[in-house]
Amino acid sequence: MRNVTLACVGLFIGTLAANAQQFEKRFITKLDENLAGLQAEWVSMDNDTLLDVVVVGSVNDQLKIVVYKNLNDLFLGKVNTLPTGMKSGYVQLADWNKDNKMDLVIAGKTLINTDATFYFQGNGNLTFSKNAQKLVDHSGQFRIGDFDGDATLDVLTFGPSFIRIYRNSGTTLTKEFDLTNINPTDVSVFDMNNDGMTDFVVTGKNNQDKVVTSVFIGAPKFKYFKKNLATPIDGALSLADADNNGLFDVIVSSKDLSRTWLNNGDTLITNNSFDGTPGPRLFTGDMTSDGNTDILLPGVVRELTGLTTSIDSAGLILQRMGDHDRDGDLDLVQVIDSIGSQWLKYFENTTTANNADPEFPIAGYAISTFDRTFIFWEPANDDHTPTQALTYDVWLGTNQQTIVMPSFDLSGFHRSVVRHGNAGANTSMIIKGLADNRYFYQIQSVDNAYNGSIGSCNGNVLPCFDLAHQEVQACKGFEVKLAGGKDAVWFSLSKGFLESSDTLTFVASVTDTLFAFIPQTTDCSKNKVYVVHVNDGPRLDKEVIYACKDKSVTLKIEEGWEGIVWDSNPPTLNVSSIQYMVTKPDTITVTAKGKGCEYKKQFFIKISEPEVSIAGDGFQVMKGNSVQLEASGTAEQWEWDPALGLNNSTIPNPTATPTTSTEYVLTGTDSVGCTATASTHVFVQETAFVPNLFTPNGDGKNDNLVIYGLTSPGDFKFRIFNREGSLVYETKDVAHATTVGWNGFVQGTQQPNGIYYWRIDGETGDGSKLLLNGKTSGSILLVH
């Protein structure tokens, strides 16, 4: 990166020194109880700038935490012993609740012998409070890391024949990855290829009982790609930048043999082998104040060049490195067994070489866009550790909330634990799933001896909502050149930070989204986002479109193509979509070009014409009575107009009860949106009448032909004849004619569909002729 104008201020001190080195015993104290399953860690428990020591182990089926405060006079003073409410457990350090106080996460057996993992909140006063919410059902070894880049700590558990990763949503942990074909001995997590994704390395045996040392490279959505290393070893594992090239290497030590694999970005290659070491823990770091990685073995500090420094190891149970006196070099604490008791033993690293704290990055820039926050910074310098081998610890948050929590004290910048920074050797970080907002950031540099810069690169995050957006189509294997602007900083969603340059040139391989940020400006419109679609050779697409006649339809191809030609009449050029008026079935073809690709698409246009019909031309009902309307067709949606008098105007068979004679128009709409209509009348009679249609099909609806509105006529007779003039129904009973009527049968035989004729005789109460539908005779349609 060049000419970044946002400078970061702070304090750093650095001197060069020689390389004399030795460890001298300064302090020893007896543990109150002999503990099983011992672990010890250097960790700042009260944010007083000094690393304290926490010892964890079990006695009498009770897991206990023993805290020793660092008094900065070559002395560790026991503060308290805290029972955990668990029988046994394995411990990892993490600021789980993001309050800038280190917590303990413990997986083990509860007092009722169940598997459980809890976190014990550090209170900032050398005490812990157990959180009641169980994280996962697990009692063995585990590791903690952000495996999906959302700034929340996830959990990797492992045991006999499994490795599992649980995603932390903030309230619950959900299993996202489950590997069952390996029996791990040790697992380490780190970004091995500097793409911003957390990877993990495993030693152990596979399900064929063969020794493996494997790297699992992380991809989005908890996908992992395995690389098996040549000449594997089953043993304790550590990751360190042994050759200071900015890529972390793999170091494994078993009881018989140790080996290093150097990381060149694409592969890990066996480098050298040396004597092994017993024990489950392997520590690496700069213990000789020369900026290079060393290995802590029982009784010896071994440089990768082969030089060694002896350390007393009589009765050794475990040992851990940490800078007790904050002088820049790593001191040593051991737990030993002597005369039937356990002892805590402290060795001061008395090297005459002065290892100064690293400088912090001199400039940084951050932008929030696309629900992500991008942070990048200039590399820092150090007096011993090469610039490429420095790691970085990032804090991100608002005035009220921490989003990304680092491993340093926010008030004094002192390291809280002995570990590398959360950004690894990258000089950038992408945090996913964040609403675009104004955040703040701090960046601390960390050297190979786990010293942090006193002071940090810090600044505001620029929220951007209006980046210039462009789609790019490219052929796989062809070169693509994108313009970013002067000194643009390029990011990829799949690969993280790419480079700083005015233009970006690359060979298209996979579809990706690329960002070009201009650090010198706060004008968001100067920043760009390119969505690059990679096509595997020439493309021919086809699409069938159903459209309505005499309606316009949109024809569209993907954005990013060049030289676009539509064979419409007249031809349309250099647009990705057109409006086309459909008058008949047709075929429209479009051709285009990309970066090395040709593209063709054919649109086959078919006209959609739904069918709608209604049974019967019209219906007669007595006022206050109802009739069932029956429609059919190929429509998917129905709409009757008017809706007045219908029980439901959006179904094909509503019940109509109009108060006056009404014409109902039915519109049917198909899935494309095309329509067709049909209509029918419902005539409302206020005097006696007979319907002109009935359907004796046994469905309980309109099965009998009855007379409506009759009121005590004289000399009543009602007859029905078929087309040949034969009598099929006769009654002189008014009640029968108005309630039972004709059922469409004659002497048990169902009569066929068709026209039938009726005649009525009789007088009304005033002596006039009895009429139906205003007449003495008429016709009926019988439909089964």
Side-chain angles (χ1 to χ4, degrees):
M1 191 190 307
R2 304 184 300 275
N3 300 325
V4 179
T5 59
L6 176 60
C8 298
V9 297
L11 174 68
F12 66 91
I13 301 172
T15 60
L16 297 175
N19 264 341
Q21 162 72 40
Q22 60 181 352
F23 290 90
E24 295 186 4
K25 184 177 71 175
R26 299 299 192 191
F27 166 78
I28 186 169
T29 184
K30 182 181 176 183
L31 273 62
D32 292 342
E33 301 171 289
N34 286 354
L35 302 175
L38 271 166
Q39 295 172 79
E41 301 290 348
W42 290 92
V43 53
S44 177
M45 296 306 307
D46 52 3
N47 287 0
D48 65 348
T49 77
L50 299 175
L51 294 175
D52 309 301
V53 173
V54 173
V55 178
V56 180
S58 299
V59 60
N60 298 326
D61 281 338
Q62 175 72 263
L63 183 70
K64 295 183 178 181
I65 303 171
V66 187
V67 180
Y68 291 87
K69 179 175 174 55
N70 187 340
L71 301 175
N72 198 24
D73 56 358
L74 309 182
F75 185 77
L76 293 168
K78 179 186 169 187
V79 176
N80 51 42
T81 300
L82 306 171
T84 63
M86 303 178 73
K87 287 185 176 181
S88 60
Y90 179 82
V91 177
Q92 289 277 276
L93 299 172
D95 188 352
W96 188 262
N97 59 353
K98 299 183 181 180
D99 64 353
N100 206 217
K101 301 180 183 69
M102 294 304 300
D103 311 310
L104 298 184
V105 183
I106 302 179
K109 293 288 186 181
T110 67
L111 295 181
I112 59 173
N113 213 38
T114 58
D115 295 345
T117 302
F118 294 92
Y119 91 85
F120 292 73
Q121 177 181 322
N123 298 320
N125 59 358
L126 301 163
T127 65
F128 297 91
S129 298
K130 181 181 179 181
N131 188 280
Q133 182 179 1
K134 179 175 60 176
L135 301 180
V136 293
D137 296 320
H138 179 70
S139 62
Q141 291 198 66
F142 65 100
R143 302 290 182 260
I144 293 173
D146 179 7
F147 288 92
D148 56 353
D150 66 351
T152 303
L153 293 175
D154 309 303
V155 176
L156 179 151
T157 64
F158 62 99
S161 299
F162 73 86
I163 297 175
R164 299 180 182 123
I165 299 177
Y166 294 83
R167 180 179 65 86
N168 184 0
S169 68
T171 56
T172 58
L173 279 87
T174 305
K175 184 170 67 175
E176 298 287 351
F177 176 81
D178 194 352
L179 180 68
T180 58
N181 61 356
I182 191 169
N183 186 12
T185 297
D186 200 4
V187 177
S188 286
V189 300
F190 205 76
D191 181 2
M192 297 297 293
N193 57 351
N194 289 355
D195 65 352
M197 297 289 295
T198 299
D199 314 307
F200 63 93
V201 184
V202 181
T203 62
K205 295 183 178 180
N206 62 19
N207 52 6
Q208 284 84 39
D209 203 35
K210 293 183 178 179
V211 171
V212 293
T213 302
S214 303
V215 179
F216 289 79
I217 300 298
K221 299 182 179 180
F222 293 91
K223 304 295 183 183
Y224 293 90
F225 301 95
K226 183 172 70 170
K227 295 182 178 180
N228 290 327
L229 304 189
T231 60
I233 295 177
D234 181 9
L237 174 66
S238 185
L239 306 177
D241 187 2
D243 54 356
N244 295 323
N245 68 344
L247 294 167
F248 270 59
D249 310 303
V250 175
I251 302 172
V252 179
S253 183
S254 69
K255 65 179 181 179
D256 300 317
L257 182 68
S258 299
R259 180 166 291 141
T260 302
W261 290 262
L262 295 182
N263 184 356
N264 64 12
D266 296 321
T267 58
L268 285 99
I269 302 171
T270 303
N271 180 46
N272 61 358
S273 301
F274 46 92
D275 292 341
T277 175
R281 300 295 297 273
L282 185 63
F283 181 87
T284 55
D286 180 12
M287 290 167 269
T288 58
S289 295
D290 62 357
N292 296 313
T293 297
D294 310 306
I295 303 173
L296 178 63
L297 305 174
V300 67
V301 170
R302 187 187 192 282
E303 299 180 42
L304 292 179
T305 58
L307 298 177
T308 60
T309 300
S310 297
I311 308 172
D312 183 10
S313 61
L316 181 66
I317 299 175
L318 62 84
Q319 55 186 356
R320 296 295 286 170
M321 283 284 186
D323 189 356
H324 175 276
D325 48 7
R326 292 295 190 192
D327 63 351
D329 52 48
L330 288 167
D331 307 304
L332 178 68
V333 68
Q334 294 181 343
V335 178
I336 66 169
D337 186 352
S338 179
I339 321 174
S341 298
Q342 292 176 346
W343 303 78
L344 187 70
K345 195 174 181 181
Y346 164 64
F347 293 84
E348 181 189 5
N349 186 340
T350 60
T351 179
T352 58
N354 180 33
N355 186 14
D357 299 323
E359 301 173 9
F360 52 82
I362 61 171
Y365 180 77
I367 185 171
S368 175
T369 189
F370 271 61
D371 291 330
R372 291 169 170 83
T373 294
F374 299 80
I375 311 173
F376 49 100
W377 54 91
E378 292 281 6
N381 294 309
D382 183 57
D383 62 340
H384 282 71
T385 303
T387 293
Q388 280 189 296
L390 291 173
T391 62
Y392 300 92
D393 220 358
V394 176
W395 174 87
L396 178 72
T398 66
N399 287 329
Q400 297 79 31
Q401 178 189 14
T402 287
I403 296 170
V404 177
M405 176 55 71
S407 297
F408 63 82
D409 177 5
L410 291 173
S411 61
F413 303 103
H414 295 283
R415 301 295 294 162
S416 300
V417 289
V418 184
R419 68 168 62 130
H420 291 290
N422 57 20
N426 293 314
T427 56
S428 64
M429 178 181 278
I430 303 176
I431 302 96
K432 303 175 184 176
L434 294 184
D436 298 336
N437 201 347
R438 185 171 295 280
Y439 303 108
F440 306 97
Y441 68 88
Q442 294 189 50
I443 307 164
Q444 182 189 55
S445 308
V446 183
D447 68 13
N448 277 350
Y450 308 103
N451 299 311
S453 59
I454 302 303
S456 69
C457 175
N458 58 80
N460 300 331
V461 178
L462 176 68
C464 281
F465 308 96
D466 55 350
L467 271 68
H469 184 278
Q470 184 174 337
E471 304 277 336
V472 177
Q473 301 289 341
C475 193
K476 190 172 184 178
F478 277 72
E479 186 176 87
V480 178
K481 187 174 184 179
L482 304 177
K486 184 172 176 54
D487 296 327
V489 179
W490 293 87
F491 276 87
S492 156
L493 284 190
S494 66
K495 299 177 182 178
F497 173 76
L498 298 176
E499 61 181 62
S500 175
S501 59
D502 296 354
T503 60
L504 178 69
T505 302
F506 62 97
V507 175
S509 57
V510 294
T511 294
D512 201 354
T513 300
L514 305 175
F515 296 85
F517 300 131
I518 310 299
Q520 297 88 349
T521 182
T522 58
D523 181 358
C524 290
S525 66
K526 300 293 185 182
N527 300 308
K528 300 177 182 179
V529 56
Y530 292 93
V531 180
V532 180
H533 303 274
V534 177
N535 304 290
D536 195 1
R539 280 179 54 185
L540 172 61
D541 291 343
K542 298 179 180 181
E543 183 177 354
V544 177
I545 295 180
Y546 288 89
C548 308
K549 188 175 181 180
D550 298 324
K551 297 288 186 181
S552 177
V553 64
T554 300
L555 307 181
K556 184 177 181 180
I557 64 172
E558 299 166 333
E559 298 284 347
W561 292 101
E562 302 171 352
I564 302 172
V565 178
W566 296 85
D567 71 344
S568 54
N569 188 17
T572 307
L573 306 178
N574 297 324
V575 293
S576 59
S577 66
I578 63 170
Q579 293 297 119
Y580 177 76
M581 180 63 70
V582 178
T583 59
K584 61 180 181 179
D586 204 350
T587 300
I588 301 296
T589 301
V590 59
T591 58
K593 296 179 180 179
K595 305 293 184 182
C597 279
E598 295 180 355
Y599 178 68
K600 180 179 181 181
K601 184 171 184 178
Q602 292 178 312
F603 296 89
F604 300 97
I605 300 174
K606 300 181 180 296
I607 294 178
S608 180
E609 297 178 297
E611 298 177 358
V612 174
S613 62
I614 303 173
D617 294 330
F619 305 90
Q620 295 182 1
V621 295
M622 190 67 183
K623 188 174 183 178
N625 290 334
S626 302
V627 65
Q628 185 88 36
L629 304 182
E630 296 282 352
S632 61
T634 58
E636 292 191 354
Q637 297 179 357
W638 307 88
E639 186 65 39
W640 293 86
D641 182 44
L644 185 66
L646 302 180
N647 68 326
N648 189 334
S649 64
T650 61
I651 60 176
N653 55 345
T655 300
T657 315
T659 58
T660 61
S661 295
T662 303
E663 180 185 23
Y664 287 103
V665 178
L666 174 62
T667 300
T669 305
D670 65 13
S671 60
V672 181
C674 304
T675 61
T677 61
S679 64
T680 189
H681 280 83
V682 177
F683 299 97
V684 177
Q685 303 288 341
E686 299 196 18
T687 60
F689 77 95
V690 63
N692 56 7
L693 170 74
F694 82 115
T695 57
N697 55 13
D699 66 353
K701 300 177 181 179
N702 202 28
D703 283 337
N704 291 58
L705 181 72
V706 296
I707 299 173
Y708 297 92
L710 284 179
T711 54
S712 303
D715 298 328
F716 169 76
K717 182 166 62 173
F718 180 66
R719 289 170 291 172
I720 300 176
F721 304 89
N722 62 21
R723 297 183 65 175
E724 286 74 32
S726 300
L727 182 70
V728 295
Y729 174 77
E730 180 180 19
T731 183
K732 297 180 179 180
D733 185 347
V734 174
H736 191 278
T738 58
T739 58
V740 179
W742 184 42
N743 63 2
F745 285 77
V746 176
Q747 295 180 353
T749 300
Q750 188 180 59
Q751 298 303 294
N753 292 339
I755 301 293
Y756 293 78
Y757 302 93
W758 58 265
R759 181 176 180 82
I760 191 166
D761 297 294
E763 297 180 350
T764 64
D766 60 5
S768 60
K769 284 187 177 181
L770 184 62
L771 301 176
L772 294 178
N773 305 342
K775 302 179 291 184
T776 58
S777 63
S779 62
I780 309 158
L781 176 63
L782 185 155
V783 179
H784 288 294

